[in-house]
Amino acid sequence: MAQPVFLRGVAWAALWDAAQKRQTYGRDLDILIEGGKIARIAPHAGDAPPPEGAEVVEAQRMLVMPGLMNIHTHPTTEPAYRGVRDDHGVPEQFMSGLFERSQSMRLDQAGQAAAMRLAYAEMLAAGVTSVVDLSRPFPEWLGIMAESGMRVWAGPGYAAARWGMTAPQTVTWLWNREDAVRQFAAAKQVMKEAEAHECGRLTGIVFPAQIDTVEEEMLRESIAYAVETGRPFTTHISQAVVEIQEMIRRHGETPIQWASRIGLLTPRSILGHAIFVDEHSSIRWHTRTDIGLIADSGASVAHCPSPFARYGEHLQDFGKYRARGINMGFGTDCAPHNLVEEMRLAIILARNAERNLHAADAGSVFHAATAGGADAVGRPDLGRLMPGATADVTLVDLAHPLMQPARDPVRSLVFHAADRATRRVIVAGETVWKDGKPTRLNVTEAAGILAESQAKMLRDAAKHDYAGRDGDVIAPLSLSMWHGRNAAVN
């Protein structure tokens, strides 16, 4: 059991108002963390002695807030795409690069482990305490989760099809139904192993990988298994125009409508992205029912703005979804895994989509990144600072220049400082990030390993790509190379 922690003289705190179901500010407080819980929140008691045996943290220049919830991320692959996916896309696939990268680029296990360590460190730096890790499992996967000290929902992915290509304008689905049965059985075992882990912070989440790569029978089995075992459920859905077109070709309706018809939209369901709904300007399907179906079902949406904004697309929009009653949470679907920057981008994109300053603001995205994410995974004890809540807490340095003046700390964090002002991250009362580095997670060699694995991935892409191209052809460098004496430099 972690040592009690006494946060003395907290300048600002983001507290949960249970009656109003919203985050609210508190000032000049003492907060006691004991037994992995928020034991007490009280007005600052001046020079009164702290509880016996507690570590005292002088918090007179701190914002104390609930740890952030990252409910959709792929930490075992995305860091390997640094310098690759940032400008990569296929115009014939409505600018998405998803399918071309997936059919050609495959990271080895050493790279996956290194990528995961770096991504988890990035998330901690941004104040994230809980993460939904959606990956293909590999031997070190659960061990690194436990090593990090974070609270993790392990989502071992499974699918009956993988994407292929025969030309820039052609995506194919290559089916292997027998392997899907094997993958699903393996995923069930991995989830059980996660929940039996001695660290006590790992939980399973049922994750059929994409709505278009898993067949109806297995999707029905998946949501039934989630209900039977009390686990949350998630899948990628409405994440690409190519996917929408294929699902309409198969079923005559949008992915959201089909998912609703086969029983996938439930209060335990987290919809990864759900961007290209029927009324989206890039779809313009003849119905206007998708957002309502999500709202009426009680399902949540994991909003990850960055990858789609890079393609020139975005959810239309965060404010509209919330106004229609959808529970919104945030994820980092690509590197960097900086949840605060995703919150900022969500505000900007929503305002531009609606041409309305009030479409989203710091308060609404903060709610989504805390209580919204916690509600999505069925944990009302997380994402909130209140007596009895689990002590997953982030301390932000108000003295950091980018937090000054500290008139409104959440705004300063979201619009200005982001991860740069994170001072300390606590999970279940244990400090897992302090003074610029993780306390438990070993990232010493990860960057070098990842660089080697990325180079191999790019070389080997020629073995998998439909046109035999290596990664440097698929995703060229941003600048041409200078060739010394044969090139003119003015």
Side-chain angles (χ1 to χ4, degrees):
M1 186 66 67
Q3 176 187 10
V5 178
F6 184 60
L7 307 176
R8 181 159 60 188
V10 174
W12 291 80
L15 305 176
W16 182 248
D17 183 334
Q20 298 295 322
K21 296 183 179 180
R22 66 183 183 185
Q23 304 286 2
T24 186
Y25 276 134
R27 300 207 64 184
D28 301 320
L29 302 169
D30 292 335
I31 299 176
L32 176 62
I33 296 171
E34 192 171 36
K37 301 285 186 180
I38 305 295
R40 185 171 73 246
I41 301 174
H44 177 45
D47 296 329
E52 185 177 353
E55 177 193 1
V56 178
V57 177
E58 300 296 346
Q60 293 86 356
R61 302 297 298 273
M62 296 285 181
L63 163 67
V64 177
M65 66 183 198
L68 301 181
M69 309 284 300
N70 186 332
I71 64 169
H72 186 106
T73 190
H74 308 292
T76 62
T77 54
E78 289 306 311
Y81 290 135
R82 284 199 183 99
V84 176
R85 75 168 288 173
D86 315 274
D87 295 321
H88 173 245
V90 180
E92 295 87 350
Q93 294 172 21
F94 302 89
M95 300 299 170
S96 175
L98 171 65
F99 305 98
E100 186 170 69
R101 287 192 304 277
S102 296
Q103 58 92 37
S104 62
M105 299 183 190
R106 303 175 190 182
L107 191 65
D108 61 24
Q109 287 188 10
Q112 291 171 16
M116 186 177 176
R117 284 191 166 93
L118 292 171
Y120 275 44
E122 287 179 7
M123 286 188 267
L124 283 167
V128 170
T129 53
S130 292
V131 57
V132 175
D133 183 334
L134 306 174
S135 301
R136 287 293 178 97
F138 64 102
E140 294 181 75
W141 192 43
L142 298 182
I144 296 172
M145 290 179 191
E147 178 191 338
S148 74
M150 300 176 78
R151 195 176 303 282
V152 186
W153 278 258
Y158 53 94
R162 62 179 178 85
W163 296 310
M165 288 173 58
T166 57
Q169 71 276 15
T170 306
V171 175
T172 59
W173 282 257
L174 308 174
W175 295 92
N176 187 335
R177 294 165 178 83
E178 291 183 4
D179 192 49
V181 173
R182 180 196 64 78
Q183 290 178 46
F184 190 18
K188 292 177 180 178
Q189 182 59 35
V190 170
M191 286 187 278
K192 291 176 183 176
E193 291 173 5
E195 290 163 353
H197 197 282
E198 62 183 3
C199 74
R201 293 185 303 272
L202 309 186
T203 307
I205 181 170
V206 181
F207 174 46
Q210 295 92 15
I211 196 71
D212 54 305
T213 64
V214 181
E215 293 178 301
E216 179 177 344
E217 181 180 358
M218 185 166 285
L219 288 169
R220 289 183 182 272
E221 290 175 0
S222 297
I223 192 66
Y225 182 68
V227 172
E228 173 191 339
T229 58
R231 296 187 178 106
F233 168 95
T234 191
T235 191
H236 292 89
I237 186 169
S238 298
Q239 68 168 332
V241 178
V242 170
E243 169 216 321
I244 308 305
Q245 293 178 333
E246 173 65 12
M247 295 299 284
I248 288 174
R249 184 194 68 77
R250 293 181 196 173
H251 305 293
E253 57 190 341
T254 68
I256 297 293
Q257 293 161 12
W258 185 68
S260 175
R261 184 160 58 81
I262 68 172
L264 298 188
L265 304 189
T266 77
R268 72 177 61 250
S269 302
I270 302 173
L271 307 184
H273 308 310
I275 288 177
F276 295 105
V277 295
D278 50 9
E279 61 191 80
H280 193 281
S281 60
S282 293
I283 302 301
R284 297 192 183 280
W285 189 236
H286 64 88
T287 60
R288 293 291 182 274
T289 62
D290 283 5
I291 293 179
L293 287 171
I294 299 170
D296 292 345
S297 73
S300 299
V301 168
H303 184 26
C304 309
S306 284
F308 304 95
R310 293 177 188 181
Y311 298 144
E313 290 284 8
H314 57 276
L315 182 140
Q316 297 175 345
D317 62 87
F318 178 87
K320 179 190 292 184
Y321 281 47
R322 287 189 79 242
R324 298 277 284 275
I326 296 174
N327 180 54
M328 301 294 289
F330 277 103
T332 54
D333 193 58
C334 63
H337 291 81
N338 190 323
L339 202 74
V340 184
E341 290 186 346
E342 297 294 334
M343 295 157 66
R344 181 198 310 142
L345 183 57
I347 296 172
I348 295 168
L349 292 174
R351 290 176 178 179
N352 277 269
E354 286 294 302
R355 289 172 170 76
N356 181 357
L357 179 69
H358 303 294
D361 56 25
S364 61
V365 299
F366 186 73
H367 178 95
T370 52
D375 290 346
V377 295
R379 287 291 300 269
D381 61 314
L382 299 176
R384 298 158 168 89
L385 284 188
M386 61 181 181
T390 298
D392 291 3
V393 177
T394 295
L395 278 62
V396 176
D397 183 6
L398 295 177
H400 191 286
L402 292 175
M403 289 296 294
Q404 288 289 324
R407 174 184 177 269
D408 189 327
V410 167
R411 279 188 184 144
S412 292
L413 177 70
V414 172
F415 282 103
H416 304 281
D419 58 316
R420 289 163 289 199
T422 303
R423 181 61 61 222
R424 187 165 178 160
V425 178
I426 297 170
V427 175
E430 178 188 352
T431 295
V432 295
W433 175 275
K434 186 177 180 182
D435 297 332
K437 59 184 180 182
T439 63
R440 304 168 100 253
L441 189 65
N442 183 1
V443 296
T444 304
E445 300 177 351
I449 294 170
L450 182 59
E452 292 178 4
S453 294
Q454 184 197 63
K456 182 177 184 296
M457 176 186 77
L458 296 176
R459 288 194 304 270
D460 290 351
K463 301 175 184 178
H464 312 295
D465 179 62
Y466 74 99
R469 302 166 298 168
D470 66 23
D472 289 334
V473 175
I474 295 169
L477 298 178
S478 58
L479 304 178
S480 60
M481 294 297 296
W482 181 56
H483 296 293
R485 70 180 67 182
N486 295 323
V489 177
N490 295 323

